[in-house]
């Protein structure tokens, strides 16, 4: 590993090989830039190496290994939240649901940022969908539960394309709809960002990868950046002209804060010496809050699921609906409803049939804060779900739950599920049971004003010109989408911007 005393600075160090980081690293190397990629978790090499664990490749359900084990800590009146984040090359794209979505044009136009309008991003979305091998399930691939969900949606009056049964989740101009999901699943394998962006350049002498390398903090100097890491239990330092901070919505933030970049008072309060006052670092944390309605499986459905799984690939998630709650503005959908069903215990279900409801235009905001110096100190992650003063997020979830119960009550589904009383829709119950859609964003948001944002529209941290953020933390407001494809688009856009300045 290159150390401060050894030789000249490397061109670019990318910290974190996740969705955004892999995209930046791959694109920079393809353009002739020397990149050193640092990842805290393992790198299993090229997809063809045979070393990737089956659990990570298997796209039929969420993978649960290789996690950072973040949680909320004790919460009064309910179980703590787990905040799953992958610690592996490919980041969360290596263990996620592989559902591909882009959100709505109003999401990106709503950011109001030069270079990030929907029309400017459209070609990048097209490239990313292609790289990630996104395709939509065919009706013949629908498992026994999801085939019935399609029937139930048609019968309940959802807008459904009854020729293809395909969802239009990857259309930036589309509205309400129910259909089969687009997925980045290739030959049954979860096609992660490392396969898409790093494999094509793995043989290049311009790419150096250090895995099992935990970044503690960075020092920003006039002509270079020093990156302090822990590797094999030893502390080392590397130097680069530019550092791309792609640690994800919690990781990027924690590196910034451990480096002394953040709110001066808050950093001092946890024993970190401030070096650059940026009050918004770690604020604006938000995700899609989520809750579900559920039923037990009837014996016939249980048998069909077992038979279908024995024959081949049947994912627990295959269909999704976009809908407007009574709070939706301008007729743009603000809910995702997605049925989930597995005959076994998985991260999402305990062997029941669920319809998950997510509020995809949330108003509540929380924060992430390092609770002390050092990379092993567990941070404070306080999402403040359903905390918006107008009660918008809670009301949207309540509307969605009514729709979810109606879908489960449709005879196509009710006839193979065990009848159950509808869920209590009181505020208390929704607050007690609210979960999240695994889509945190926003903690290093872009904007023009250092008082209300962390990075400028080129992803550079305000006042720290050599530090660039290319991941989900850069999004000022969450798109109405599962966030993997948008995070990769952010990575691709930042790569373009870096290359345009060379
Ligand atoms: C369980 C789960 C299911 C999901 N399902 C879907 C889905 O179906 N569809 C979808 O679109 N989205 C889904 N998502 C969300 C999506 O995968 C993420 O939003 C997206 O991958 C985030 O990309 P990122 O680049 O911001 O961060 P990440 O992909 O998390 O990358 C961050 C990387 O940085 C590394 N890192 C962090 N800190 C350090 C450090 N100090 N030193 C070195 N390395 C570090 C991490 O190990 C990681 O590899 C899901 C997420 C989860 C957790």
């Amino acid at each position: 590993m290159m150390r401060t005393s050894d030789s000249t600075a490397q061109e670019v160090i990318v910290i974190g090989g996740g969705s955004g980081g892999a995209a930046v690293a791959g694109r920079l190397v393809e353009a002739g830039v020397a990149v050193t990629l640092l990842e805290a978790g393992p790198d299993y090499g090229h997809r063809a190496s045979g070393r990737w664990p089956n659990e990570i490749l298997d796209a039929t359900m969420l993978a649960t290994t290789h996690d950072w084990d973040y949680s909320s800590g004790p919460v009064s009146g309910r179980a703590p939240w787990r905040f799953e984040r992958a610690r592996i090359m490919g980041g969360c794209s290596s263990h996620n649901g592989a559902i591909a979505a882009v959100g709505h044009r109003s999401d990106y136009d709503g950011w109001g940022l030069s270079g990030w309008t929907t029309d400017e991003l459209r070609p990048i979305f097209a490239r990313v969908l292609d790289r990630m091998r996104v395709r939509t399930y065919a009706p013949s691939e629908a498992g026994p539960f999801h085939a019935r969900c399609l029937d139930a949606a048609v019968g309940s009056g959802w807008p459904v394309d009854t020729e293809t049964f395909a969802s239009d989740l990857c259309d930036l101009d589309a509205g309400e709809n129910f259909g089969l999901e687009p997925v980045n699943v290739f030959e049954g394998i979860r096609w992660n960002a490392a396969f898409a962006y790093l494999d094509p350049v793995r043989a290049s002498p311009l790419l150096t990868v250090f895995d099992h390398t935990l970044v503690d903090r960075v020092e920003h100097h006039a002509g270079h950046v020093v990156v302090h890491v822990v590797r094999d239990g030893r502390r080392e330092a590397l130097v680069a002209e530019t550092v791309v901070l792609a640690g994800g919505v919690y990781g990027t933030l924690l590196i910034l804060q451990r480096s002394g970049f953040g709110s001066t008072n808050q950093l001092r309060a946890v024993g970190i010496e401030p070096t650059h006052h940026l009050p918004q670092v770690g604020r604006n944390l938000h995700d899609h809050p989520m809750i579900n309605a559920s039923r037990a499986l009837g014996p016939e459905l249980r048998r069909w699921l077992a038979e279908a799984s024995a024959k081949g690939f049947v994912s627990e998630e295959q269909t999704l609906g976009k809908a407007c709650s009574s709070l939706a503005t301008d007729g743009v959908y603000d809910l995702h409803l997605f049925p989930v069903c597995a005959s076994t215990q998985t991260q999402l279900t305990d062997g029941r049939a669920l319809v998950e409801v997510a509020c995809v235009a949330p108003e509540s905001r929380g924060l992430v804060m390092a609770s002390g110096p050092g990379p092993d100190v567990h941070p404070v992650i306080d999402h403040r779900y359903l905390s918006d003063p107008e009660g918008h997020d809670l009301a949207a979830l309540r509307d969605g739950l009514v729709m979810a119960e109606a879908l489960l009550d449709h005879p196509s589904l009710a006839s193979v599920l065990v009848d159950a009383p509808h869920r209590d829709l009181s505020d208390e119950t929704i607050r007690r049971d609210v979960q999240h859609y695994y889509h945190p964003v926003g903690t290093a948001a872009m904007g023009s004003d250092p008082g209300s944002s962390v990075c400028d529209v080129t992803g550079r941290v305000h006042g720290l010109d050599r530090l660039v953020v290319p991941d989900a933390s850069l999004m000022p407001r969450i798109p109405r989408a599962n966030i993997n494809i948008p995070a990769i688009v952010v990575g691709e856009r930042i790569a373009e911007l870096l290359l345009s300045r060379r």
Side-chain angles (χ1 to χ4, degrees), residues 1-4 7-14 33-38 206 208 210 223-225 237-243 466:
M1 183 179 295
M2 185 171 293
R3 306 191 177 91
T4 42
S7 63
T8 54
Q10 304 172 44
E11 284 193 73
V12 175
I13 287 179
V14 175
V33 178
V35 170
T36 300
L37 176 56
L38 310 178
L206 293 175
T208 307
F210 293 121
H224 65 282
V225 182
L238 293 87
V239 185
E241 291 164 16
T242 300
V243 167
R466 294 182 177 276

PDB file of all heavy atoms in Angstrom, residues 1-4 7-14 33-38 206 208 210 223-225 237-243 466:
ATOM      1  N   MET A   1       0.841  -1.195   0.000  1.00  0.00           N
ATOM      2  CA  MET A   1       0.000   0.000   0.000  1.00  0.00           C
ATOM      3  C   MET A   1       0.879   1.249   0.000  1.00  0.00           C
ATOM      4  O   MET A   1       1.871   1.304   0.701  1.00  0.00           O
ATOM      5  CB  MET A   1      -0.888  -0.029   1.247  1.00  0.00           C
ATOM      6  CG  MET A   1      -1.844   1.129   1.316  1.00  0.00           C
ATOM      7  SD  MET A   1      -2.899   1.066   2.758  1.00  0.00           S
ATOM      8  CE  MET A   1      -3.836  -0.374   2.439  1.00  0.00           C
ATOM      9  N   MET A   2       0.492   2.234  -0.776  1.00  0.00           N
ATOM     10  CA  MET A   2       1.271   3.463  -0.848  1.00  0.00           C
ATOM     11  C   MET A   2       1.097   4.297   0.421  1.00  0.00           C
ATOM     12  O   MET A   2      -0.006   4.475   0.910  1.00  0.00           O
ATOM     13  CB  MET A   2       0.809   4.284  -2.045  1.00  0.00           C
ATOM     14  CG  MET A   2       1.659   5.509  -2.257  1.00  0.00           C
ATOM     15  SD  MET A   2       1.249   6.280  -3.795  1.00  0.00           S
ATOM     16  CE  MET A   2       1.817   5.058  -4.952  1.00  0.00           C
ATOM     17  N   ARG A   3       2.193   4.742   1.003  1.00  0.00           N
ATOM     18  CA  ARG A   3       2.092   5.519   2.238  1.00  0.00           C
ATOM     19  C   ARG A   3       2.564   6.934   1.987  1.00  0.00           C
ATOM     20  O   ARG A   3       3.221   7.218   0.983  1.00  0.00           O
ATOM     21  CB  ARG A   3       2.931   4.863   3.322  1.00  0.00           C
ATOM     22  CG  ARG A   3       2.523   3.409   3.469  1.00  0.00           C
ATOM     23  CD  ARG A   3       3.100   2.735   4.664  1.00  0.00           C
ATOM     24  NE  ARG A   3       2.564   1.383   4.690  1.00  0.00           N
ATOM     25  CZ  ARG A   3       3.133   0.340   4.118  1.00  0.00           C
ATOM     26  NH1 ARG A   3       4.256   0.478   3.487  1.00  0.00           N
ATOM     27  NH2 ARG A   3       2.573  -0.837   4.173  1.00  0.00           N
ATOM     28  N   THR A   4       2.303   7.820   2.932  1.00  0.00           N
ATOM     29  CA  THR A   4       2.645   9.228   2.755  1.00  0.00           C
ATOM     30  C   THR A   4       4.118   9.419   2.435  1.00  0.00           C
ATOM     31  O   THR A   4       4.485  10.269   1.655  1.00  0.00           O
ATOM     32  CB  THR A   4       2.319  10.032   4.017  1.00  0.00           C
ATOM     33  OG1 THR A   4       2.711   9.277   5.138  1.00  0.00           O
ATOM     34  CG2 THR A   4       0.874  10.359   4.100  1.00  0.00           C
ATOM     35  N   SER A   7       6.012   7.919  -1.848  1.00  0.00           N
ATOM     36  CA  SER A   7       6.165   8.489  -3.178  1.00  0.00           C
ATOM     37  C   SER A   7       5.082   9.510  -3.449  1.00  0.00           C
ATOM     38  O   SER A   7       4.393   9.965  -2.554  1.00  0.00           O
ATOM     39  CB  SER A   7       6.112   7.361  -4.214  1.00  0.00           C
ATOM     40  OG  SER A   7       4.852   6.745  -4.154  1.00  0.00           O
ATOM     41  N   THR A   8       4.887   9.832  -4.688  1.00  0.00           N
ATOM     42  CA  THR A   8       3.950  10.888  -5.060  1.00  0.00           C
ATOM     43  C   THR A   8       2.502  10.437  -4.898  1.00  0.00           C
ATOM     44  O   THR A   8       2.216   9.262  -4.810  1.00  0.00           O
ATOM     45  CB  THR A   8       4.161  11.248  -6.535  1.00  0.00           C
ATOM     46  OG1 THR A   8       4.066  10.043  -7.272  1.00  0.00           O
ATOM     47  CG2 THR A   8       5.495  11.891  -6.750  1.00  0.00           C
ATOM     48  N   ALA A   9       1.616  11.417  -4.898  1.00  0.00           N
ATOM     49  CA  ALA A   9       0.203  11.114  -4.712  1.00  0.00           C
ATOM     50  C   ALA A   9      -0.357  10.317  -5.882  1.00  0.00           C
ATOM     51  O   ALA A   9       0.036  10.513  -7.021  1.00  0.00           O
ATOM     52  CB  ALA A   9      -0.564  12.420  -4.572  1.00  0.00           C
ATOM     53  N   GLN A  10      -1.314   9.416  -5.545  1.00  0.00           N
ATOM     54  CA  GLN A  10      -2.062   8.733  -6.595  1.00  0.00           C
ATOM     55  C   GLN A  10      -3.088   9.715  -7.118  1.00  0.00           C
ATOM     56  O   GLN A  10      -3.422  10.680  -6.462  1.00  0.00           O
ATOM     57  CB  GLN A  10      -2.759   7.531  -6.003  1.00  0.00           C
ATOM     58  CG  GLN A  10      -1.782   6.623  -5.315  1.00  0.00           C
ATOM     59  CD  GLN A  10      -2.494   5.536  -4.559  1.00  0.00           C
ATOM     60  OE1 GLN A  10      -3.424   4.937  -5.050  1.00  0.00           O
ATOM     61  NE2 GLN A  10      -2.037   5.289  -3.355  1.00  0.00           N
ATOM     62  N   GLU A  11      -3.632   9.405  -8.311  1.00  0.00           N
ATOM     63  CA  GLU A  11      -4.577  10.372  -8.876  1.00  0.00           C
ATOM     64  C   GLU A  11      -5.854  10.433  -8.046  1.00  0.00           C
ATOM     65  O   GLU A  11      -6.196  11.462  -7.506  1.00  0.00           O
ATOM     66  CB  GLU A  11      -4.883  10.003 -10.320  1.00  0.00           C
ATOM     67  CG  GLU A  11      -3.738  10.391 -11.243  1.00  0.00           C
ATOM     68  CD  GLU A  11      -4.141  10.324 -12.690  1.00  0.00           C
ATOM     69  OE1 GLU A  11      -4.892  11.203 -13.128  1.00  0.00           O
ATOM     70  OE2 GLU A  11      -3.711   9.378 -13.371  1.00  0.00           O
ATOM     71  N   VAL A  12      -6.558   9.307  -7.942  1.00  0.00           N
ATOM     72  CA  VAL A  12      -7.839   9.320  -7.245  1.00  0.00           C
ATOM     73  C   VAL A  12      -7.925   8.124  -6.316  1.00  0.00           C
ATOM     74  O   VAL A  12      -7.603   6.995  -6.710  1.00  0.00           O
ATOM     75  CB  VAL A  12      -9.015   9.260  -8.254  1.00  0.00           C
ATOM     76  CG1 VAL A  12     -10.349   9.156  -7.517  1.00  0.00           C
ATOM     77  CG2 VAL A  12      -9.019  10.487  -9.168  1.00  0.00           C
ATOM     78  N   ILE A  13      -8.343   8.377  -5.081  1.00  0.00           N
ATOM     79  CA  ILE A  13      -8.716   7.283  -4.185  1.00  0.00           C
ATOM     80  C   ILE A  13     -10.229   7.297  -4.069  1.00  0.00           C
ATOM     81  O   ILE A  13     -10.826   8.346  -3.806  1.00  0.00           O
ATOM     82  CB  ILE A  13      -8.072   7.447  -2.789  1.00  0.00           C
ATOM     83  CG1 ILE A  13      -6.574   7.149  -2.880  1.00  0.00           C
ATOM     84  CG2 ILE A  13      -8.746   6.525  -1.769  1.00  0.00           C
ATOM     85  CD1 ILE A  13      -5.829   7.306  -1.560  1.00  0.00           C
ATOM     86  N   VAL A  14     -10.854   6.134  -4.296  1.00  0.00           N
ATOM     87  CA  VAL A  14     -12.296   6.001  -4.090  1.00  0.00           C
ATOM     88  C   VAL A  14     -12.481   5.198  -2.811  1.00  0.00           C
ATOM     89  O   VAL A  14     -11.962   4.086  -2.681  1.00  0.00           O
ATOM     90  CB  VAL A  14     -12.973   5.288  -5.284  1.00  0.00           C
ATOM     91  CG1 VAL A  14     -14.460   5.061  -4.996  1.00  0.00           C
ATOM     92  CG2 VAL A  14     -12.804   6.100  -6.563  1.00  0.00           C
ATOM     93  N   VAL A  33      -7.950   7.080 -15.947  1.00  0.00           N
ATOM     94  CA  VAL A  33      -7.500   7.651 -14.666  1.00  0.00           C
ATOM     95  C   VAL A  33      -7.049   6.514 -13.744  1.00  0.00           C
ATOM     96  O   VAL A  33      -7.710   5.471 -13.667  1.00  0.00           O
ATOM     97  CB  VAL A  33      -8.659   8.430 -14.000  1.00  0.00           C
ATOM     98  CG1 VAL A  33      -8.230   8.999 -12.653  1.00  0.00           C
ATOM     99  CG2 VAL A  33      -9.161   9.538 -14.921  1.00  0.00           C
ATOM    100  N   ALA A  34      -5.945   6.732 -13.015  1.00  0.00           N
ATOM    101  CA  ALA A  34      -5.481   5.727 -12.049  1.00  0.00           C
ATOM    102  C   ALA A  34      -6.318   5.850 -10.775  1.00  0.00           C
ATOM    103  O   ALA A  34      -6.441   6.936 -10.209  1.00  0.00           O
ATOM    104  CB  ALA A  34      -4.013   5.950 -11.733  1.00  0.00           C
ATOM    105  N   VAL A  35      -6.897   4.719 -10.354  1.00  0.00           N
ATOM    106  CA  VAL A  35      -7.798   4.720  -9.198  1.00  0.00           C
ATOM    107  C   VAL A  35      -7.351   3.666  -8.196  1.00  0.00           C
ATOM    108  O   VAL A  35      -7.045   2.530  -8.571  1.00  0.00           O
ATOM    109  CB  VAL A  35      -9.246   4.396  -9.649  1.00  0.00           C
ATOM    110  CG1 VAL A  35     -10.154   4.148  -8.448  1.00  0.00           C
ATOM    111  CG2 VAL A  35      -9.811   5.522 -10.514  1.00  0.00           C
ATOM    112  N   THR A  36      -7.323   4.048  -6.923  1.00  0.00           N
ATOM    113  CA  THR A  36      -7.167   3.066  -5.848  1.00  0.00           C
ATOM    114  C   THR A  36      -8.494   2.995  -5.120  1.00  0.00           C
ATOM    115  O   THR A  36      -9.003   4.012  -4.649  1.00  0.00           O
ATOM    116  CB  THR A  36      -6.046   3.473  -4.880  1.00  0.00           C
ATOM    117  OG1 THR A  36      -4.826   3.559  -5.619  1.00  0.00           O
ATOM    118  CG2 THR A  36      -5.877   2.447  -3.769  1.00  0.00           C
ATOM    119  N   LEU A  37      -9.065   1.803  -5.066  1.00  0.00           N
ATOM    120  CA  LEU A  37     -10.387   1.613  -4.472  1.00  0.00           C
ATOM    121  C   LEU A  37     -10.224   0.924  -3.120  1.00  0.00           C
ATOM    122  O   LEU A  37      -9.631  -0.155  -3.030  1.00  0.00           O
ATOM    123  CB  LEU A  37     -11.233   0.755  -5.426  1.00  0.00           C
ATOM    124  CG  LEU A  37     -12.637   0.343  -4.976  1.00  0.00           C
ATOM    125  CD1 LEU A  37     -13.487   1.550  -4.624  1.00  0.00           C
ATOM    126  CD2 LEU A  37     -13.312  -0.471  -6.089  1.00  0.00           C
ATOM    127  N   LEU A  38     -10.745   1.576  -2.078  1.00  0.00           N
ATOM    128  CA  LEU A  38     -10.629   1.039  -0.720  1.00  0.00           C
ATOM    129  C   LEU A  38     -12.003   0.563  -0.260  1.00  0.00           C
ATOM    130  O   LEU A  38     -12.968   1.336  -0.288  1.00  0.00           O
ATOM    131  CB  LEU A  38     -10.148   2.124   0.248  1.00  0.00           C
ATOM    132  CG  LEU A  38      -8.911   2.916  -0.168  1.00  0.00           C
ATOM    133  CD1 LEU A  38      -8.599   3.980   0.893  1.00  0.00           C
ATOM    134  CD2 LEU A  38      -7.716   1.985  -0.346  1.00  0.00           C
ATOM    135  N   LEU A 206      -4.481   0.345 -14.212  1.00  0.00           N
ATOM    136  CA  LEU A 206      -4.882   1.605 -13.578  1.00  0.00           C
ATOM    137  C   LEU A 206      -5.736   1.388 -12.334  1.00  0.00           C
ATOM    138  O   LEU A 206      -5.962   2.314 -11.559  1.00  0.00           O
ATOM    139  CB  LEU A 206      -5.677   2.466 -14.577  1.00  0.00           C
ATOM    140  CG  LEU A 206      -4.893   2.997 -15.774  1.00  0.00           C
ATOM    141  CD1 LEU A 206      -5.814   3.716 -16.747  1.00  0.00           C
ATOM    142  CD2 LEU A 206      -3.783   3.935 -15.314  1.00  0.00           C
ATOM    143  N   THR A 208      -6.313  -0.328  -8.706  1.00  0.00           N
ATOM    144  CA  THR A 208      -5.756  -1.050  -7.557  1.00  0.00           C
ATOM    145  C   THR A 208      -6.875  -1.181  -6.537  1.00  0.00           C
ATOM    146  O   THR A 208      -7.536  -0.189  -6.229  1.00  0.00           O
ATOM    147  CB  THR A 208      -4.600  -0.254  -6.925  1.00  0.00           C
ATOM    148  OG1 THR A 208      -3.667   0.055  -7.957  1.00  0.00           O
ATOM    149  CG2 THR A 208      -3.913  -1.035  -5.821  1.00  0.00           C
ATOM    150  N   PHE A 210      -7.898  -2.388  -2.664  1.00  0.00           N
ATOM    151  CA  PHE A 210      -7.554  -2.866  -1.313  1.00  0.00           C
ATOM    152  C   PHE A 210      -8.854  -3.157  -0.589  1.00  0.00           C
ATOM    153  O   PHE A 210      -9.610  -2.230  -0.268  1.00  0.00           O
ATOM    154  CB  PHE A 210      -6.764  -1.812  -0.530  1.00  0.00           C
ATOM    155  CG  PHE A 210      -5.392  -1.549  -1.079  1.00  0.00           C
ATOM    156  CD1 PHE A 210      -5.027  -0.280  -1.498  1.00  0.00           C
ATOM    157  CD2 PHE A 210      -4.452  -2.576  -1.171  1.00  0.00           C
ATOM    158  CE1 PHE A 210      -3.753  -0.033  -1.996  1.00  0.00           C
ATOM    159  CE2 PHE A 210      -3.179  -2.330  -1.676  1.00  0.00           C
ATOM    160  CZ  PHE A 210      -2.829  -1.057  -2.094  1.00  0.00           C
ATOM    161  N   GLY A 223      -2.902  20.851  -1.698  1.00  0.00           N
ATOM    162  CA  GLY A 223      -2.584  20.148  -2.943  1.00  0.00           C
ATOM    163  C   GLY A 223      -2.877  18.665  -2.920  1.00  0.00           C
ATOM    164  O   GLY A 223      -2.693  17.970  -3.936  1.00  0.00           O
ATOM    165  N   HIS A 224      -3.314  18.126  -1.798  1.00  0.00           N
ATOM    166  CA  HIS A 224      -3.532  16.678  -1.716  1.00  0.00           C
ATOM    167  C   HIS A 224      -4.425  16.335  -0.514  1.00  0.00           C
ATOM    168  O   HIS A 224      -4.688  17.192   0.333  1.00  0.00           O
ATOM    169  CB  HIS A 224      -2.193  15.941  -1.597  1.00  0.00           C
ATOM    170  CG  HIS A 224      -1.458  16.246  -0.320  1.00  0.00           C
ATOM    171  ND1 HIS A 224      -0.739  17.393  -0.108  1.00  0.00           N
ATOM    172  CD2 HIS A 224      -1.369  15.534   0.836  1.00  0.00           C
ATOM    173  CE1 HIS A 224      -0.233  17.399   1.107  1.00  0.00           C
ATOM    174  NE2 HIS A 224      -0.594  16.273   1.706  1.00  0.00           N
ATOM    175  N   VAL A 225      -4.831  15.080  -0.465  1.00  0.00           N
ATOM    176  CA  VAL A 225      -5.629  14.590   0.664  1.00  0.00           C
ATOM    177  C   VAL A 225      -4.922  13.364   1.238  1.00  0.00           C
ATOM    178  O   VAL A 225      -4.427  12.515   0.484  1.00  0.00           O
ATOM    179  CB  VAL A 225      -7.048  14.177   0.211  1.00  0.00           C
ATOM    180  CG1 VAL A 225      -7.881  13.708   1.397  1.00  0.00           C
ATOM    181  CG2 VAL A 225      -7.747  15.312  -0.515  1.00  0.00           C
ATOM    182  N   ALA A 237      -1.393   5.346   6.054  1.00  0.00           N
ATOM    183  CA  ALA A 237      -1.910   6.554   5.418  1.00  0.00           C
ATOM    184  C   ALA A 237      -1.598   6.529   3.927  1.00  0.00           C
ATOM    185  O   ALA A 237      -0.521   6.114   3.520  1.00  0.00           O
ATOM    186  CB  ALA A 237      -1.287   7.778   6.061  1.00  0.00           C
ATOM    187  N   LEU A 238      -2.552   6.944   3.123  1.00  0.00           N
ATOM    188  CA  LEU A 238      -2.377   7.028   1.676  1.00  0.00           C
ATOM    189  C   LEU A 238      -2.605   8.465   1.253  1.00  0.00           C
ATOM    190  O   LEU A 238      -3.290   9.210   1.944  1.00  0.00           O
ATOM    191  CB  LEU A 238      -3.400   6.158   0.957  1.00  0.00           C
ATOM    192  CG  LEU A 238      -3.306   4.658   1.125  1.00  0.00           C
ATOM    193  CD1 LEU A 238      -4.068   4.202   2.349  1.00  0.00           C
ATOM    194  CD2 LEU A 238      -3.885   3.985  -0.102  1.00  0.00           C
ATOM    195  N   VAL A 239      -2.084   8.809   0.082  1.00  0.00           N
ATOM    196  CA  VAL A 239      -2.207  10.188  -0.396  1.00  0.00           C
ATOM    197  C   VAL A 239      -2.817  10.191  -1.786  1.00  0.00           C
ATOM    198  O   VAL A 239      -2.502   9.321  -2.599  1.00  0.00           O
ATOM    199  CB  VAL A 239      -0.814  10.858  -0.473  1.00  0.00           C
ATOM    200  CG1 VAL A 239      -0.952  12.330  -0.846  1.00  0.00           C
ATOM    201  CG2 VAL A 239      -0.085  10.717   0.834  1.00  0.00           C
ATOM    202  N   ALA A 240      -3.684  11.148  -2.047  1.00  0.00           N
ATOM    203  CA  ALA A 240      -4.263  11.269  -3.391  1.00  0.00           C
ATOM    204  C   ALA A 240      -4.497  12.726  -3.726  1.00  0.00           C
ATOM    205  O   ALA A 240      -4.572  13.584  -2.844  1.00  0.00           O
ATOM    206  CB  ALA A 240      -5.582  10.507  -3.463  1.00  0.00           C
ATOM    207  N   GLU A 241      -4.613  12.974  -5.038  1.00  0.00           N
ATOM    208  CA  GLU A 241      -4.951  14.339  -5.462  1.00  0.00           C
ATOM    209  C   GLU A 241      -6.419  14.616  -5.168  1.00  0.00           C
ATOM    210  O   GLU A 241      -6.793  15.708  -4.761  1.00  0.00           O
ATOM    211  CB  GLU A 241      -4.701  14.493  -6.967  1.00  0.00           C
ATOM    212  CG  GLU A 241      -3.233  14.460  -7.324  1.00  0.00           C
ATOM    213  CD  GLU A 241      -3.017  14.231  -8.813  1.00  0.00           C
ATOM    214  OE1 GLU A 241      -3.958  14.398  -9.612  1.00  0.00           O
ATOM    215  OE2 GLU A 241      -1.882  13.872  -9.164  1.00  0.00           O
ATOM    216  N   THR A 242      -7.249  13.617  -5.433  1.00  0.00           N
ATOM    217  CA  THR A 242      -8.695  13.752  -5.208  1.00  0.00           C
ATOM    218  C   THR A 242      -9.172  12.511  -4.477  1.00  0.00           C
ATOM    219  O   THR A 242      -8.738  11.399  -4.788  1.00  0.00           O
ATOM    220  CB  THR A 242      -9.437  13.850  -6.562  1.00  0.00           C
ATOM    221  OG1 THR A 242      -8.956  14.995  -7.258  1.00  0.00           O
ATOM    222  CG2 THR A 242     -10.944  13.955  -6.381  1.00  0.00           C
ATOM    223  N   VAL A 243     -10.073  12.702  -3.511  1.00  0.00           N
ATOM    224  CA  VAL A 243     -10.655  11.557  -2.807  1.00  0.00           C
ATOM    225  C   VAL A 243     -12.168  11.550  -3.032  1.00  0.00           C
ATOM    226  O   VAL A 243     -12.844  12.555  -2.817  1.00  0.00           O
ATOM    227  CB  VAL A 243     -10.317  11.589  -1.300  1.00  0.00           C
ATOM    228  CG1 VAL A 243     -11.186  10.596  -0.529  1.00  0.00           C
ATOM    229  CG2 VAL A 243      -8.843  11.246  -1.093  1.00  0.00           C
ATOM    230  N   ARG A 466     -11.056  19.020  -2.789  1.00  0.00           N
ATOM    231  CA  ARG A 466     -10.512  17.724  -3.240  1.00  0.00           C
ATOM    232  C   ARG A 466     -11.327  16.532  -2.754  1.00  0.00           C
ATOM    233  O   ARG A 466     -10.935  15.389  -2.945  1.00  0.00           O
ATOM    234  CB  ARG A 466      -9.050  17.584  -2.789  1.00  0.00           C
ATOM    235  CG  ARG A 466      -8.177  18.591  -3.473  1.00  0.00           C
ATOM    236  CD  ARG A 466      -6.724  18.496  -3.115  1.00  0.00           C
ATOM    237  NE  ARG A 466      -6.007  19.484  -3.902  1.00  0.00           N
ATOM    238  CZ  ARG A 466      -5.596  19.286  -5.147  1.00  0.00           C
ATOM    239  NH1 ARG A 466      -5.784  18.132  -5.732  1.00  0.00           N
ATOM    240  NH2 ARG A 466      -4.983  20.253  -5.813  1.00  0.00           N
TER     241      ARG A 466
END
